[in-house]
Structure formats: structure tokens, C-alpha cells
Amino acid sequence: MEKKVRVRFAPSPTGGLHLGGMRTVLYNYLFAKQNKGDFILRIEDTDQSRFVTGAERYIFDCLKWAGLEPDESPIHRGNYGPYRQSERKEIYRKYAEQLVADGFAYYAFDTPEELEKMRQDFKTGKNPSPQYDHELRNKMKNSLTLGEDEVRRFISEEIPYVIRIKMPEKELVSFNDMIRGEIHFDTSLVDDKVLLKADGMPTYHLAVVVDDYLMKITHAFRGEEWLSSAPVHILLWKYLGWKKEMPQWAHLPLILGPNGKLSKRDGAQFGFPVFAMNWNDPKNGEMTEGFKEKGFLPEAFINFLALLGWNDGTEQEIFTKEELIQRFSMERVHSGGAKFDYEKAKWFNHEWIKRKESQDLKPAVRNILVEKSIAEIDDQLLDKVISLVKDRCTLLTDFYDQSVFFFRTPDQYDLTSVQPKWGESKKLFFSEIIRNYELNTDWSATVLETNFKEIAAANKIKPGEVLSTFRIMLVGGKFGPGVFDIAAILGKDNTIQRIKKALTIF
RNA sequence: GGCCUGUUCGUCUAAGUGGCGAGGACGCAAGAUUUUCAUUCUUGAAACAUGGGUUCAAAUCCCGUACAGGCUACCA
């Protein structure tokens, strides 16, 4: 029987969730759903000095907004908890000690100052950053160099120590990456990573393999930045005796900003979001804008994220979540890093807005209008307005500019476009329009248009000369849907009132 | 410096195991439609990092070089 697929996303709650993290979530989610497996969210909060209040909550909010909710997590329950590593603290020491007992790890008593001194002392032009490796460990203060008695004494005296993995002097470690294929490492070049810190917390290296094992993870997807520490993890799986249970790895390519690795600075600098949702940093009060607040639809967000490094081999670009679940495959993920293109991201959003029914857009649009203090929005009116203007909205926030005039009489007019052509004959024309429209019983766009043109002809005015003026009267500027469609939605009283008002101003 | 990973139009990418005049999309440019703006439609410019091999044939396989990115913490 095949093992049930279980994947996990394991962020550390230290700040905003950026594009790369969200894409890792997405790929995990798609893979899990495609294989009828479980998607687990595990909080990697082993570094207590980096704790940020609200960061965990924020992660959940982002996943919920994007529609990528986990099956198991600190707040979704599950049978493999707890799902916060800080709450699993007691679990890890046992395994670290086991590794020491089996000769795969050792105690190290070097203080941070001593480590710093070592790095200074052994630094050369050829080797700017010396590692605590199979050679240097012989010159340091650890259970390999100290006598057994001394080690016992140190421990009983509660001298702080860490547990480090003992990398083999010369061994070839290989594994098969789902995206990159066979990858090899020479252990003589890898350092003795700390597994258990002096405060008793595990480092990522220990925690990730212990938890992946205990949580029965079958496939481990993470960013490319983890590739170089993969040999440590592979060896740990072996040393702990779990080699047969080791998940399949896939190291996802990085998402790059305009110049190198995507950073939140890029957002501020280039005017696009990098986080899924607004992130308020409690430490400095700074707010970083998110895709949600910028006006992105979750469907579009997921869609462009999925295509950033993956495609199904066809020329299709617009995918629903269901289609993505069906078509996704890790093997088709491109191995090179991808530079994020905000213009294309906006195009995806535009496509999604155009495709969606105004019904489905309504809640989000209503929120945006309410935020701009447009109260009392008639539901039916909103429906009509949305379907009329959505083609010209790239971001949800565009709905404001594109539809304010339905809810508010313009108080500013594009006068420079009106006045050069303005005159008595035009005034006369519009008073006639008012008279005609007042008597109008069928208030539909087509009727309004024919009447308008007839009156223009009777006055020997080309419709083109007054059409844009009419638009400015109703809207304030030269934009928006067809004028008669607007007038039809505005209704008789409102339309006539706006013409009258404009007549007093022009 | 060392190790690891990458490298097709400006950007995202396609081209199952070598046979293309290198395809699509975003963006850009031009035109048509829309008596506004946007949509829509048509057209166009635009790429195999580089040097060697292997082969009748290489974007595709091999080696070197360059460039880019990641890692090199008691951070993840």
C-alpha cells in the first residue's frame, strides 16, 4: 500500500510572508490536494530571540485569504501535534543525545567569544570564513578533544554546551531532488552544524528532520537556499536510523526582485507589493503593503504565483485552483530562479476581474467603496455598475475611480476639454435635451441615444461635438463606459439634475 | 575564498529520449474598432551567455570559461 502523501510548510514567524513563501505554500498545497494527501503547517519558532508578536496569526490570515488552508496546524488540529516547535522542545534533546551516544554527534563547550576568536585566528585571504569542520574541531573545546572526565565535569557544572553533528571526514552524500535530479556533496567541505543550542532548543537542522519524521512527511519542498545544508539533513536521516522514511526533496528556485533576491525594500522602491497581505511590523511600526490590499484577487494571486516557475507544457496561462491541482507537477518546475514581473501580475488580475461575475466581485468592490466613504450602496445598482466597468479595472481598487460618479455627482469637471467648444448653441442644445428627456417615458440607453442624435441633427450639431461634453457633465472627465449606459443607470432625475448643474458651471 | 545551483526575446516561459525558418504570454510599437478611456482584434520589433568538441544534424549531449544567485551563525 502506498503511503499517504503528507507535505508541510514550515515558516518561522518572524515577519511578512513574501512571494517566495507563498509560492512554496501553493506548491505544497497543490501537490497535497492532487495526491489526496495532507497539507501541514508547522511553525518553526526555535529561535526565541526572533519572536515577533502577531507573525503567526498573520501567516494564517494570508493562507486563508489565498484559499490555501492547511489540514493540520496549531489551529487546525491533527494527530501529529503540537505543531509549534517551541512546544516540542522536550522531544529533540533525546534524539540529539542519541546521536552523541552513537558517535554521530558531540558536545561542544566553546563560547561565542571563543568561536569568534577561532574565526579571526584562522581567517586567511584564501579562506575568509573558516568552518567548524572535521579539521578545526580538533582544535576546539569539545567532547572529542576533552577527556571523558572533563566532559562529565563540565556538564555537571552546568557549563553551557551545544551538540554538533560530526561530519564524516570524507564521504559522498547524494540525494535525488525532484526538480534538479541527482545532487552530490563532499562531506569534507561541510561543517559540523549545531543541532541543539545551549538554550536547549534545536536548530532548524535537527528540528526539521525530527519533525518531518514524526509527522510522517513524505515530500519536503523548500526554497533553494536550503540546498547547501541538505547533506546535513540527509546524514541525520541516516544516523537516526530513518533512512527508509526520508521524504523526497524538492528545492524550489528563488523568486528574484529587479536586482537579485526579492526583498521588502524592492516593494517600497519599485512600487509593488512583496507580501501577500499588509504587514505591520510591531517592532518599528512600519507597514509593508500586501497584494490583497493593493487590489489583487486571490485567484489571480495564486495563478501568477503558480506560473512563476511552472507551466503545464501547453499555452494555457489562466488556471483556476482546481485546474492547478489537477495539472501541477513538481517535475515541470523550472530550475532557474525567476524574476518577478509586476506588470504581468497585474495582467493576471485584470484577466480574472474580467472573467468573474459581478456577483462574485461584489463583496470586495463594496468594501473598497465603503472605505472611500461611499455609504448606502444599492445592491442592484452595484451589480449593474460592476458589470459595466469591470473591463477597465486592473486592480480591485480601480473600481473606485471607475465608478464613483455613479454614486456621487461630480464636483470637479474637466473644463479645459469643454470650454473651447462651449457656446450659446451648445447651451441651447442641452436645454432641449433636458426638455426632451424630462418627457421621456422609456429611460433606456438606446432611446436616450436616438433622442440625443435627433436633437443634435435638428440643431445642426454633429453628435461628436456634444457627446464628450455630455460625458463630462455626468462623469466629470473623459473616461468611463458609454455615456448613454451611464445615463440609463443614473436614472432620469439624476441625469437631468447633473446636466442642469453643469450648465451653471460651464 | 570554498561549496552548491542556475543561464532561451526586457520579463515569465515552450520546444517528451538531438532535425525549427526557435513557439506562446506580459510589456513595448503601429494600425482597426469603440465619437472618451479601457476592452477586443490585426501586425511588428525582440532570445538559444561564451569557447571548444561529439554528430550528417545541437537550444537539446560532453568539457572549459564567463555571468548570476544561494549557503558558508548556538537564524530560519
Side-chain angles (χ1 to χ4, degrees):
Chain A
M1 193 190 92
E2 277 284 290
K3 271 197 292 185
K4 184 173 193 190
V5 165
R6 288 172 60 80
V7 299
R8 103 275 119 129
F9 175 61
S12 59
T14 52
L17 237 194
H18 60 84
L19 287 171
M22 283 305 293
R23 192 190 53 181
T24 306
V25 172
L26 214 213
Y27 288 180
N28 268 288
Y29 180 92
L30 297 177
F31 188 86
K33 296 303 150 193
Q34 180 177 72
N35 293 290
K36 306 267 183 292
D38 298 323
F39 170 43
I40 292 108
L41 184 114
R42 183 173 71 218
I43 299 292
E44 308 237 339
D45 55 352
T46 54
D47 186 356
Q48 293 158 328
S49 67
R50 295 212 301 164
F51 178 80
V52 176
T53 35
E56 181 183 311
R57 182 63 228 245
Y58 169 86
I59 290 168
F60 284 112
D61 291 343
C62 288
L63 300 205
K64 183 163 192 186
W65 171 68
L68 305 173
E69 294 210 64
D71 300 298
E72 298 172 23
S73 86
I75 63 170
H76 292 81
R77 300 290 141 237
N79 302 319
Y80 297 86
Y83 293 90
R84 271 184 212 101
Q85 288 183 331
S86 58
E87 292 167 15
R88 304 168 64 78
K89 185 176 175 184
E90 301 319 312
I91 298 174
Y92 307 105
R93 175 172 295 275
K94 182 177 90 187
Y95 295 105
E97 294 289 356
Q98 181 190 321
L99 287 165
V100 174
D102 293 343
F104 297 124
Y106 58 90
Y107 303 115
F109 300 94
D110 318 274
T111 63
E113 294 72 33
E114 285 167 337
L115 288 173
E116 185 49 38
K117 184 171 186 306
M118 173 276 273
R119 288 192 186 101
Q120 288 305 323
D121 291 352
F122 293 92
K123 188 154 103 179
T124 62
K126 269 201 143 201
N127 184 6
S129 45
Q131 306 195 99
Y132 202 117
D133 62 10
H134 67 103
E135 276 177 6
L136 261 178
R137 69 181 167 225
N138 297 319
K139 302 191 171 96
M140 304 300 289
K141 210 197 306 174
N142 55 50
S143 60
L144 266 19
T145 58
L146 267 21
E148 235 174 88
D149 296 345
E150 214 167 354
V151 171
R152 223 166 302 152
R153 205 191 77 224
F154 277 15
I155 290 176
S156 69
E157 284 174 7
E158 292 184 15
I159 290 179
Y161 65 89
V162 301
I163 293 180
R164 305 185 94 108
I165 186 170
K166 187 178 168 191
M167 290 304 280
E169 270 181 44
K170 188 85 189 162
E171 202 175 289
L172 192 69
V173 175
S174 328
F175 75 99
N176 195 280
D177 188 277
M178 291 171 79
I179 297 173
R180 295 154 205 280
E182 210 62 38
I183 298 175
H184 312 274
F185 293 89
D186 177 352
T187 57
S188 69
L189 273 1
V190 181
D191 63 337
D192 290 353
K193 287 268 184 297
V194 170
L195 301 178
L196 199 74
K197 298 185 263 190
D199 65 1
M201 276 289 195
T203 60
Y204 173 83
H205 306 295
L206 210 218
V208 74
V209 342
V210 168
D211 287 344
D212 281 353
Y213 170 74
L214 261 16
M215 295 183 182
K216 295 200 161 52
I217 300 303
T218 57
H219 302 262
F221 310 142
R222 61 194 346 180
E224 187 183 335
E225 68 266 29
W226 291 108
L227 206 46
S228 14
S229 46
V232 177
H233 310 146
I234 308 288
L235 247 22
L236 249 18
W237 277 93
K238 184 174 150 193
Y239 293 161
L240 259 1
W242 305 331
K243 191 85 198 245
K244 289 197 301 289
E245 261 79 28
M246 187 171 80
Q248 268 196 270
W249 300 98
H251 290 88
L252 275 19
L254 265 12
I255 294 180
L256 310 169
N259 29 24
K261 196 183 182 184
L262 190 70
S263 76
K264 78 177 176 185
R265 284 248 169 93
D266 290 332
Q269 193 183 339
F270 298 97
F272 59 78
V274 294
F275 290 155
M277 290 171 69
N278 278 1
W279 166 248
N280 285 90
D281 195 327
K283 281 184 294 198
N284 52 23
E286 270 176 39
M287 201 274 279
T288 311
E289 193 177 33
F291 280 91
K292 178 189 176 212
E293 290 80 1
K294 189 79 186 178
F296 276 80
L297 246 14
E299 290 89 340
F301 182 68
I302 285 179
N303 196 161
F304 81 69
L305 223 38
L307 274 282
L308 212 53
W310 171 86
N311 72 84
D312 76 341
T314 72
E315 281 169 4
Q316 183 174 346
E317 298 209 85
I318 303 295
F319 292 91
T320 63
K321 188 165 88 174
E322 286 63 37
E323 286 173 320
L324 288 173
I325 290 171
Q326 211 171 82
R327 314 266 188 81
F328 181 75
S329 84
M330 202 49 86
E331 287 72 19
R332 283 200 66 91
V333 173
H334 196 252
S335 51
K339 201 173 285 182
F340 172 62
D341 180 1
Y342 186 50
E343 291 307 317
K344 184 125 191 197
K346 282 196 292 192
W347 174 80
F348 275 105
N349 206 244
H350 194 12
E351 289 302 308
W352 271 98
I353 288 180
K354 283 190 289 185
R355 272 156 221 252
K356 279 204 141 200
E357 297 296 326
S358 72
Q359 273 295 331
D360 303 325
L361 259 9
K362 208 153 46 176
V365 173
R366 184 185 294 275
N367 276 342
I368 283 161
L369 295 180
V370 168
E371 263 172 44
K372 295 276 193 172
S373 62
I374 294 178
E376 292 178 41
I377 302 167
D378 178 76
D379 207 60
Q380 294 220 312
L381 171 64
L382 189 56
D383 253 334
K384 284 191 223 160
V385 168
I386 291 174
S387 47
L388 200 58
V389 305
K390 66 188 177 121
D391 280 5
R392 50 202 90 208
C393 296
T394 299
L395 298 170
L396 288 171
T397 46
D398 294 339
F399 273 99
Y400 174 73
D401 283 337
Q402 291 298 332
S403 66
V404 235
F405 53 85
F406 285 110
F407 306 98
R408 283 185 191 151
T409 304
D411 43 21
Q412 292 215 310
Y413 296 93
D414 179 0
L415 291 174
T416 52
S417 300
V418 179
Q419 277 162 346
K421 291 171 272 177
W422 193 240
E424 280 309 311
S425 62
K426 307 282 168 67
K427 277 189 187 168
L428 220 64
F429 167 78
F430 280 104
S431 355
E432 250 182 84
I433 288 286
I434 292 171
R435 232 172 304 137
N436 175 287
Y437 279 6
E438 267 171 347
L439 299 172
N440 210 325
T441 46
D442 181 359
W443 195 259
S444 70
T446 42
V447 172
L448 294 176
E449 184 171 356
T450 27
N451 291 4
F452 190 93
K453 285 182 175 165
E454 279 168 13
I455 295 168
N459 285 274
K460 297 202 165 45
I461 293 177
K462 276 188 259 171
E465 290 178 47
V466 276
L467 215 42
S468 99
T469 305
F470 187 33
R471 162 180 300 281
I472 293 169
M473 287 173 159
L474 301 186
V475 174
K478 293 205 288 187
F479 61 93
V483 223
F484 300 104
D485 289 320
I486 296 173
I489 290 181
L490 247 23
K492 183 192 275 192
D493 294 348
N494 203 337
T495 303
I496 291 171
Q497 201 189 312
R498 288 188 189 196
I499 300 174
K500 284 180 175 165
K501 181 183 175 193
L503 246 19
T504 68
I505 292 170
F506 289 179

